[in-house]
Structure formats: C-alpha cells, structure tokens
Amino acid sequence: MLFPEGKTKALILSYDDGAKNDRKLVAMMNKYQLIGTFHLNSNKLSTNSYYDYLNKEELKELYKGHEVSVHSANHPNLPDISKSEVANEIFEDRKELERIMGYPIRGMAYPFGNTNDTVVEIIKRLGIEYARTVGDTYNFEIPNDFLRWHPTIHQFAKAYWEPNQPEKDQKEIALFYQTIESFLKSKELAVLDIWGHSWEMGTDEIKWNETEKFFKMLAGNLTIYYAKQIDLVDYINAYKNLKFSAIKNKVTNLSSLPIYIKVADKKYVIPAGTTMNLN
C-alpha cells in the first residue's frame, strides 16, 4: 500500500476536549495547511466547567476542513460505568455533534484513553469505526485494530507533565523532536499520530512556540498525506478490500477512492470502481 497520490507517510494531529484554546490551535494549523481531528464532549461545550469550552454555535465554521469526532458527552472513565451509561455517553455525543456539524461522525477518542473489551463492543455497535487511546507507541505502524488505536506520541512527549522539572522537560522535548525527525527520514510506510489538548498550552507562549515549531517541521512535505483520521481509516479499509486475481495480475477496486499501490517497485493507481492489469 501507498497513501493517496503515492505518498509514503501520513500525519494525524489529534486533539481532545474542545477548549477555547482550539481557536488559536486551528488558526495555526490553517496557517501551515495542516489538518486536525478534534474529539469533543458535547455536554461540556458552551460551558465554563473546569475548562473554558467552545460554544456550539462556532464549531461548524471553526473546524471547517478538519474532523470533529466523539469524546463522550460528559468525559467519564468508560470502563467504570454501566453498559447502558457507556452507550448513552457515546450515542448522545455522536448525535449532538452530527446535529452541529451536519455530517456522519464515525470516530472517537476514549476519555482518559481508557477502554476494555466491553466498551469496544458497545462503541462498535454504535457505528464508531476508530477509537484512539493515549498509549503512546513511539512507532509509525498502522494499527491492526482501529478501535484500539494507539497514537505515536503526545505533543512534547511527557514534557511539562510535572511542574518544575526542567531537566526532564528538556529530555522529553528532545525525544519528541527526535521522533518527528525519524518519521521524516523513514523509508518505510509510516503514520505519525500526535495527540494532545490545546488547553495544555493555555496562555504559555513557550508551549505555543513549541507547537508552531513542530507544525513548521511537518508542513509542506510532498511525501506526507495530511489526513483526517477517518479519511485514513476509509483509505486503509478500501485498500484491504482490493480484489486480486488468482495470479495477482489483475486487481479490482470496489471502493469510491483511487487506491495507490506498489508492486515489484512499480507504482500503480487503481481508479475507483475499476479493474486494471498489473503489468
């Protein structure tokens, strides 16, 4: 598999909660033509509880060109509540976010990153097709299970998680940029999934400067597919559904997406809904 336009790398920028700091974050993404996926708690929007949240009325315009995704209605720890409560948290959040945004919402991020087999089964039945944890892998592999999607790395790694730890912060920031450099230099098919929260930057210009620094590093790279998370899921699923002939010299693409592949070092694009020869 190659990514759209024959690219070998894909980037996901994934942010949770929907604090008003997203306004500045989205503006910065738009400046560098980057795409974000934003996981929102619909019952916290238009409130000032704990964080200062975005207003529902601004979401459609603010997140234009980006993806809005489920994060549960109220942000409970899903494994700790009943099955019916889990179902209600996901269904109500999905329903309200779809009302606001005007399109089907099919992905989510787990509150606190926590899940279990019961939660996975419930969200699957509710039409969720991917769900991100907070279990950093520090690698660039495509997840085997989209409903247990472990990201690559938190923004700035674990820097700033504990106050007054400058040496630890410096070490974690170095690891974060080292991970980005490894992604950019990778010769293999690679997905970089960076996650975080805009409220972590708050009013701290040092953290916003770090954010702009890594956005600049990742922007404008012709080898990178800049993706909404759901678009990457759809593309990978379409690739997996390609139908090859017995001797692998013909392939049918049943999807509505053009799919890019490489066979014996030769690149092909299989147009949507077509069968083609692989010479």
Side-chain angles (χ1 to χ4, degrees):
M1 186 181 75
L2 298 170
F3 295 124
E5 300 180 10
K7 298 181 180 186
T8 56
K9 300 177 180 68
L11 174 67
I12 296 169
L13 298 172
S14 179
Y15 289 87
D16 299 350
D17 295 346
K20 286 186 177 178
N21 307 95
D22 276 11
R23 295 169 183 163
K24 183 170 182 177
L25 183 65
V26 171
M28 194 176 288
M29 285 185 179
N30 292 343
K31 176 181 177 180
Y32 293 102
Q33 297 183 306
L34 298 172
I35 297 173
T37 292
F38 294 88
H39 312 281
L40 308 182
N41 308 111
S42 55
N43 280 0
K44 293 182 178 292
L45 297 169
S46 301
T47 73
N48 294 323
S49 57
Y50 197 68
Y51 303 117
D52 196 7
Y53 289 92
L54 293 166
N55 299 313
K56 291 182 179 181
E57 295 76 17
E58 67 184 298
L59 299 188
K60 192 167 185 178
E61 182 63 27
L62 176 65
Y63 293 122
K64 185 182 295 183
H66 304 276
E67 177 188 2
V68 164
S69 176
V70 167
H71 198 37
S72 79
N74 298 290
H75 207 285
N77 189 39
L78 297 178
D80 289 345
I81 61 178
S82 69
K83 292 180 181 179
S84 61
E85 288 173 315
V86 171
N88 187 65
E89 283 285 338
I90 303 310
F91 178 75
E92 291 301 321
D93 197 36
R94 185 182 181 202
K95 183 173 68 172
E96 178 64 0
L97 293 176
E98 288 180 343
R99 181 194 70 80
I100 295 168
M101 299 306 296
Y103 56 76
I105 290 174
R106 298 179 284 134
M108 69 174 280
Y110 295 108
F112 308 107
N114 295 331
T115 190
N116 59 25
D117 290 345
T118 299
V119 172
V120 168
E121 184 58 32
I122 292 169
I123 68 170
K124 185 177 181 180
R125 290 174 180 269
L126 290 171
I128 299 298
E129 297 178 35
Y130 77 81
R132 199 212 73 222
T133 74
V134 296
D136 295 349
T137 65
Y138 299 95
N139 66 44
F140 314 119
E141 296 176 2
I142 295 171
N144 292 321
D145 183 352
F146 289 150
L147 294 178
R148 294 178 177 84
W149 186 309
H150 304 307
T152 305
I153 194 168
H154 177 266
Q155 58 181 14
F156 318 135
K158 291 181 173 63
Y160 314 124
W161 282 25
E162 300 174 47
N164 303 316
Q165 296 285 337
E167 291 185 6
K168 181 178 179 181
D169 291 346
Q170 187 176 16
K171 181 179 178 181
E172 291 295 327
I173 285 287
L175 173 61
F176 177 68
Y177 287 116
Q178 179 183 339
T179 302
I180 292 176
E181 291 287 358
S182 296
F183 168 72
L184 294 173
K185 293 176 181 176
S186 175
K187 302 300 182 184
E188 307 297 326
L189 201 67
V191 176
L192 175 61
D193 184 349
I194 297 173
W195 71 278
H197 314 83
S198 64
W199 52 256
E200 293 179 62
M201 282 81 83
T203 58
D204 190 331
E205 286 304 312
I206 292 176
K207 295 177 184 177
W208 282 112
N209 289 340
E210 291 287 1
T211 301
E212 186 160 21
K213 178 181 176 180
F214 84 78
F215 280 5
K216 285 181 181 179
M217 290 176 66
L218 291 164
N221 189 309
L222 296 179
T223 69
I224 296 177
Y225 168 44
Y226 298 96
K228 302 172 185 174
Q229 198 153 359
I230 192 61
D231 289 344
L232 184 59
V233 169
D234 287 341
Y235 184 84
I236 293 169
N237 284 335
Y239 165 78
K240 290 180 177 179
N241 200 39
L242 291 175
K243 307 301 180 184
F244 289 88
S245 62
I247 60 173
K248 310 294 189 204
N249 66 335
K250 296 181 185 296
V251 60
T252 297
N253 177 8
L254 300 174
S255 79
S256 60
L257 302 172
I259 302 299
Y260 293 75
I261 64 173
K262 184 167 67 173
V263 180
D265 292 326
K266 185 175 181 179
K267 295 180 180 180
Y268 297 86
V269 55
I270 303 102
T274 65
T275 297
M276 65 178 294
N277 295 321
L278 302 175
N279 299 322

